Amino acid sequence: MSSHAADDQPVASFAELGLSAPIVAALQEVGYESPSPIQAATIPVLLAGNDLIGQAQTGTGKTAAFALPLLSMLDVSRREPQVLVMVPTRELAIQVAEAFQKYASRMPGLHVLPIYGGQSYVPQLNALKRGTHVIVATPGRVIDHLQRGTLSLATLKYVVLDEA
């Protein structure tokens, strides 16, 4: 994958990629110093509003590569689903939702909801009614919510297929 930097030097900081100030502050708090290659390559492309397919080894920061720009572009004042991340397993739904929450620590009022099977509908329904910005879900449970009419995809701005 080629670098988009004019002088082909690696990007030194997350701020240089154009992420919002709250996201950059949260990254500093958790000790993230500089973007990984997949993050440096994808964040500017996603912030520009482009579609993207990314592939990288485990442990290279793929979740942050899509979560950081999406969080930077969210409107927290709109208390409705704006991001849907589809994942294959309950474990990944929990892990990705926790990552979003960590990166959004400086975005008061932002709500992330993992939705997966084997869990009661009641907490999911309550969270959806309260207003959730980011939904991280397994396909089966999304289909269930759509069929029940308890989830609308009408307000989504971004969809991610993780581990597709």
Side-chain angles (χ1 to χ4, degrees), residues 12-26:
S13 76
F14 284 101
E16 290 177 57
L17 294 176
L19 295 170
S20 69
I23 299 299
V24 172

Side-chain angles (χ1 to χ4, degrees), residues 25-96:
L27 291 172
Q28 288 171 338
E29 281 178 7
V30 295
Y32 286 27
E33 292 175 13
S34 59
S36 70
I38 184 94
Q39 293 162 355
T42 60
I43 290 172
V45 174
L46 292 172
L47 286 173
N50 296 300
D51 292 345
L52 177 77
I53 296 174
Q55 188 174 8
Q57 297 287 81
T58 299
T60 56
K62 289 187 298 291
T63 301
F66 64 78
L68 300 175
L70 296 180
L71 285 168
S72 286
M73 296 185 291
L74 274 185
D75 181 353
V76 179
S77 69
R78 288 180 47 217
R79 298 183 61 82
E80 58 198 12
Q82 296 168 54
V83 174
L84 173 63
V85 181
M86 298 292 291
V87 296
T89 66
R90 166 187 11 207
E91 293 74 24
L92 194 57
I94 294 166
Q95 180 184 330
V96 170

